[in-house]
Amino acid sequence: MSNKLTLVIGGAASGKSAFAENIVINTGKTRIYLATARVLDGEMEQKVARHKNMRGAGWATFETPLAPEDVLRERTASETILLDCATMWLMNHLMDETDLESAETALMNGLKGSKADCVIVTNELGLGIVPADALSRRFRQKQGELNQRLAAQANTVVHVVAGLPNILKGTL
């Protein structure tokens, strides 16, 4: 892998997206934002608006709820990509009942094949209680497995808690 891959992991509202955005901004390269969320209700619309406002200007945004690998392959070494977030990407695939194994392989290959540095935001879901329903348990399991695959491929892994970074692997 010639590009640098950074995984930023944390709980909901932990400050991980803002931390990841700063990593991208500090590279000084052209900023690419890969948005995986689907806006299906007013609450999500407000969350997306807050994130856009927080990021500010200077980002090229691509909406990639299922196939960010297509955009990853097109980017150059003069760019840094922020994929926000792997958790929403996974949920989209589970809700659409796609072939998750093929989708994960395509994502991993897209990350390996990208010439741009990449920062991925993901949620840590394994610190809470065992969910009551089968879909939630499957989601939690698949998220943990995806996070492990991403962390294994990443040069740097940062766990963000209360806005504070904890470097688990590599250096910033």
Side-chain angles (χ1 to χ4, degrees):
M1 179 173 63
S2 59
N3 65 341
K4 182 176 181 188
L5 177 61
T6 302
L7 181 66
V8 178
I9 187 168
S14 63
K16 62 191 175 299
S17 289
F19 185 82
E21 289 164 10
N22 283 327
I23 292 172
V24 174
I25 290 167
N26 289 334
T27 68
K29 295 181 180 183
T30 301
R31 295 172 283 190
I32 307 296
Y33 186 88
L34 302 186
T36 60
R38 290 179 171 158
V39 179
L40 302 175
D41 59 33
E43 179 191 5
M44 194 56 150
E45 188 174 335
Q46 289 176 352
K47 182 176 181 174
V48 168
R50 271 194 320 275
H51 273 258
K52 282 182 182 177
N53 187 46
M54 208 169 75
R55 270 195 313 279
W59 293 80
T61 300
F62 297 84
E63 293 185 13
T64 58
L66 292 171
E69 63 274 6
D70 295 339
V71 178
L72 287 165
R73 280 192 284 272
E74 298 168 358
R75 306 318 334 150
T76 69
S78 66
E79 300 168 311
T80 300
I81 297 166
L82 174 57
L83 190 151
D84 196 357
C85 79
T87 305
M88 294 302 288
W89 173 87
L90 175 65
M91 181 53 78
N92 294 337
H93 280 282
L94 289 174
M95 297 307 291
D96 287 1
E97 299 179 354
T98 64
D99 178 350
L100 190 53
E101 186 176 330
S102 294
E104 281 190 21
T105 298
L107 174 62
M108 295 300 171
N109 288 338
L111 290 166
K112 283 180 192 169
S114 183
K115 293 180 179 91
D117 290 341
C118 301
V119 179
I120 301 173
V121 174
T122 192
N123 284 274
E124 172 54 60
L125 303 179
L127 298 174
I129 62 171
V130 176
D133 65 276
L135 177 60
S136 296
R137 285 190 302 273
R138 181 171 182 243
F139 174 57
R140 185 187 66 161
Q141 181 66 34
K142 293 298 181 185
Q143 183 68 62
E145 292 169 4
L146 175 61
N147 287 347
Q148 289 178 56
R149 286 184 75 184
L150 290 168
Q153 191 166 312
N155 306 93
T156 303
V157 179
V158 181
H159 183 219
V160 178
V161 178
L164 302 172
N166 226 347
I167 298 173
L168 303 178
K169 177 182 178 183
T171 59
L172 287 175

